[in-house]
Amino acid sequence: MKNFIRCVGGASFLALSLFCVSATASENTVRTDLSEKDRARVEAVIRSAEQFSKPEAFENMSGGAGTHKGTPDRNAFSEHSANLSFEGQEKFKLGNGLFRKLWVSSPSSTQASDGLGPLFNARSCQRCHLKDGRGHPPTSPEDTAISMFLRLSVPPRNSEERQAIESGEKALIPEPTYGGQFQDFAIQGVPAEGRMTISYEEQSVTLEGGEVVSLRKPTYGVADLGYGPMSKDVMFSPRVAPQMIGLGLLEAIHPADISHLADPDDKDKDGISGKISWVGAKSDPNRVIGRFGWKASTPTVRQQSAGAFAGDIGISSPDAPRHYGDCTENQKACLEARTGVQKRLGDTEAPDPVMDLVSFYSSNLAVPARRNVGDPEVLKGKEIFHSIGCASCHTPKFVTRRDAAQKEHAFQLIWPYSDLLLHDMGPGLSDNRPVGEAAGSEWRTAPLWGIGLTETVSGHTFFLHDGRARNLKEAILWHGGEGKAAKEAFVALPKANREALISFLNSL
């Protein structure tokens, strides 16, 4: 039931329980971390806003007690959680160093930085997540698409592959020659896979009052292929690098709270379904909820980090021991290149100490405090946000689990504005490429916290999974499928009310 109220909390609630529990099937439906007293407190705090004349309690503290309250400048997404201990801050800084480290090809004199590629999209995490912010599509022929790439796959080709997809044992079938990700860089002596191409077609939309907005519809392709033609039935999915803030808090949302928002068959007939992205084989009773990535394909920050190391940089880790990154058996030069595995460091190029620090850094990037929460224009926009149905998917607030793995993330009232569920966004946004539980037109509800600081941090205002929207208004107008009713309500608003809604979003 989407409106089920799950638990308790207040912005300054801190963890009382420091231990971590593993996910179980029962945890997907019941909050096992709360007492009855807690439950009542959470129920009161999480209740949807009913009056909009003033801000709600703790509404400015988007990331709970870890919220960064400093000046919202270009470093606004790069600060550590405000409630980190001194030891935690030291670990965060070490992780930051590894997040920014440039990896090099093997062999080299740097040793601990060896292992780049052989195929790659970037030499460091920071190259895609510049200032820990949002990536962007190329803005000119000279602009390298380093913070954007194409995911690749093909439909199942035989009964074995169909069974693997249907059972959930595999999320997709990679393109046979180019793998699951298209890499536009390679180390010396290995051909790069090619380059992504994009062309745009402008489409006009007329809003109430006569305002005309132009939307750019992208078409994607590939050129200069280094390993021959791709499969004729290859499917592309463009992705820009998302912002990095608040990831540890999203991981600390109890699975029961996500489950109770799902309504895959739309039993309440409100036009909004919402589907969980389950990760793992359907026969596994302990399979977990995916909550990270544009398709919610990964369940934890660490797994997301390991996937990015392997796919984006070509660095293996204990979680993804792929020393050759995304190289396939059809790319012989790639598989014959030296790897960065060194016995003195372990069996992978980024061993546990590296993964621990990078995951810790990624989990503890603070969410900036909201601005202007009491401004009448912002409050008016917030009321419109709720009245036209945006909050049906962009769930404003949660209280994180008491038994979160990290005490700083436990029992916090947070305001991510996402239900972490998959929603059908219509044919206009479809990449026509299924991944695991997600159909081509289904995307995870993007968290909105920090969205108003995108230009300050990243220097642009490109939104959605491929950056096609050049501002928030265009992003809203691309909504279709389950978001169509809210989009049409936005179109029908008087211009002043549309601007108020944008002001609210910019305050997040």
Side-chain angles (χ1 to χ4, degrees):
M1 296 292 291
K2 285 198 287 283
N3 296 324
F4 185 91
I5 296 175
R6 308 132 307 230
C7 44
V8 223
S12 60
F13 291 167
L14 287 176
L16 298 180
S17 303
L18 309 184
F19 57 89
C20 174
V21 296
S22 59
T24 64
S26 63
E27 276 196 315
N28 292 325
T29 55
V30 179
R31 281 204 66 156
T32 53
D33 60 321
L34 299 178
S35 66
E36 285 305 312
K37 183 179 179 181
D38 281 347
R39 213 176 297 276
R41 293 172 66 195
V42 170
E43 182 174 333
V45 169
I46 295 299
R47 189 171 295 126
S48 182
E50 295 176 348
Q51 66 83 27
F52 301 92
S53 60
K54 61 181 181 181
E56 296 172 77
F58 307 114
E59 190 173 359
N60 62 321
M61 299 289 283
S62 298
T67 301
H68 170 60
K69 294 187 285 186
T71 303
D73 57 18
R74 195 163 181 234
N75 292 315
F77 290 176
S78 299
E79 305 290 344
H80 61 73
S81 300
N83 56 349
L84 267 189
S85 65
F86 180 78
E87 291 76 15
Q89 293 177 37
E90 182 182 29
K91 195 173 176 182
F92 178 88
K93 290 173 183 175
L94 291 171
N96 187 19
L98 292 168
F99 193 82
R100 300 163 68 95
K101 181 169 84 166
L102 292 175
W103 294 82
V104 299
S105 58
S106 298
S108 81
S109 58
T110 62
Q111 297 190 0
S113 298
D114 287 14
L116 177 68
L119 299 169
F120 59 96
N121 293 106
R123 289 183 58 199
S124 72
C125 309
Q126 168 88 350
R127 285 293 177 93
C128 288
H129 303 279
L130 190 61
K131 307 298 287 184
D132 305 291
R134 187 184 300 265
H136 63 83
T139 55
S140 70
E142 292 74 33
D143 183 10
T144 58
I146 199 165
S147 57
M148 180 180 185
F149 58 74
L150 289 174
R151 287 273 167 81
L152 311 173
S153 59
V154 295
R157 297 160 295 181
N158 51 51
S159 59
E160 183 180 348
E161 290 182 348
R162 276 190 290 277
Q163 173 61 25
I165 294 293
E166 291 171 1
S167 67
E169 293 175 0
K170 286 188 176 180
L172 54 84
I173 306 299
E175 203 282 338
T177 297
Y178 290 84
Q181 188 162 315
F182 191 61
Q183 282 112 351
D184 49 356
F185 294 107
I187 64 172
Q188 189 172 10
V190 176
E193 292 189 323
R195 60 184 175 85
M196 175 177 60
T197 63
I198 312 175
S199 59
Y200 292 106
E201 174 189 351
E202 296 287 339
Q203 300 177 337
S204 295
V205 179
T206 302
L207 313 183
E208 176 67 25
E211 181 183 2
V212 178
V213 178
S214 183
L215 303 180
R216 56 177 187 173
K217 178 185 177 184
T219 298
Y220 296 95
V222 292
D224 303 331
L225 293 177
Y227 299 88
M230 288 186 179
S231 293
K232 291 181 179 178
D233 53 0
V234 65
M235 297 177 284
F236 297 144
S237 183
R239 311 284 177 89
V240 296
Q243 63 191 27
M244 296 289 294
I245 56 174
L247 301 184
L249 294 169
L250 295 180
E251 190 170 335
I253 293 174
H254 198 283
D257 288 355
I258 301 172
S259 296
H260 289 145
L261 293 170
D263 184 16
D265 300 319
D266 193 21
K267 290 183 178 177
D268 62 5
K269 306 297 182 187
D270 68 349
I272 306 296
S273 56
K275 189 171 80 177
I276 292 173
S277 173
W278 293 106
V279 179
K282 293 177 181 176
S283 59
D284 183 354
N286 292 320
R287 65 180 180 155
V288 292
I289 294 175
R291 53 182 84 193
F292 297 107
W294 289 105
K295 295 278 190 178
S297 300
T298 48
T300 67
V301 175
R302 177 160 174 137
Q303 288 186 34
Q304 185 76 6
S305 302
F309 260 126
D312 301 353
I313 313 178
I315 297 295
S316 60
S317 67
D319 307 75
R322 295 149 50 191
H323 310 317
Y324 295 95
D326 195 40
C327 297
T328 70
E329 60 184 15
N330 293 327
Q331 296 171 319
K332 293 183 179 178
C334 187
L335 294 178
E336 291 170 354
R338 286 275 299 270
T339 75
V341 176
Q342 303 165 53
K343 283 191 175 180
R344 68 185 185 85
L345 296 176
D347 298 327
T348 57
E349 294 156 327
D352 276 329
V354 173
M355 287 304 301
D356 290 344
L357 289 169
V358 171
S359 299
F360 186 86
Y361 173 77
S362 302
S363 296
N364 287 283
L365 285 158
V367 182
R370 282 205 37 207
R371 289 81 53 212
N372 310 315
V373 292
D375 184 290
E377 175 85 351
V378 169
L379 289 169
K380 179 181 176 183
K382 178 184 173 183
E383 183 172 12
I384 295 167
F385 182 86
H386 282 261
S387 67
I388 67 173
C390 305
S392 296
C393 302
H394 291 284
T395 304
K397 49 190 172 179
F398 292 86
V399 172
T400 58
R401 54 191 307 163
R402 268 200 181 277
D403 54 2
Q406 190 181 322
K407 65 180 182 181
E408 291 87 353
H409 298 154
F411 211 45
Q412 299 292 315
L413 172 60
I414 61 172
W415 305 73
Y417 285 89
S418 170
D419 57 11
L420 302 182
L421 296 173
L422 296 171
H423 291 276
D424 179 0
M425 295 302 293
L429 285 178
S430 177
D431 63 3
N432 300 304
R433 176 181 178 268
V435 179
E437 298 272 350
S441 61
E442 292 178 324
W443 300 90
R444 181 198 66 158
T445 305
L448 298 182
W449 53 12
I451 197 168
L453 292 174
T454 299
E455 185 167 17
T456 300
V457 172
S458 302
H460 64 77
T461 55
F462 297 128
F463 298 109
L464 300 176
H465 66 280
D466 56 0
R468 70 178 67 187
R470 291 163 289 197
N471 51 55
L472 291 171
K473 187 178 294 182
E474 290 186 24
I476 295 169
L477 295 174
W478 271 109
H479 281 53
E482 295 174 47
K484 184 178 179 182
K487 185 271 294 288
E488 291 181 342
F490 176 77
V491 170
L493 288 172
K495 183 175 182 178
N497 288 2
R498 291 197 296 268
E499 297 302 326
L501 177 58
I502 299 295
S503 295
F504 167 68
L505 295 175
N506 277 322
S507 78
L508 297 178

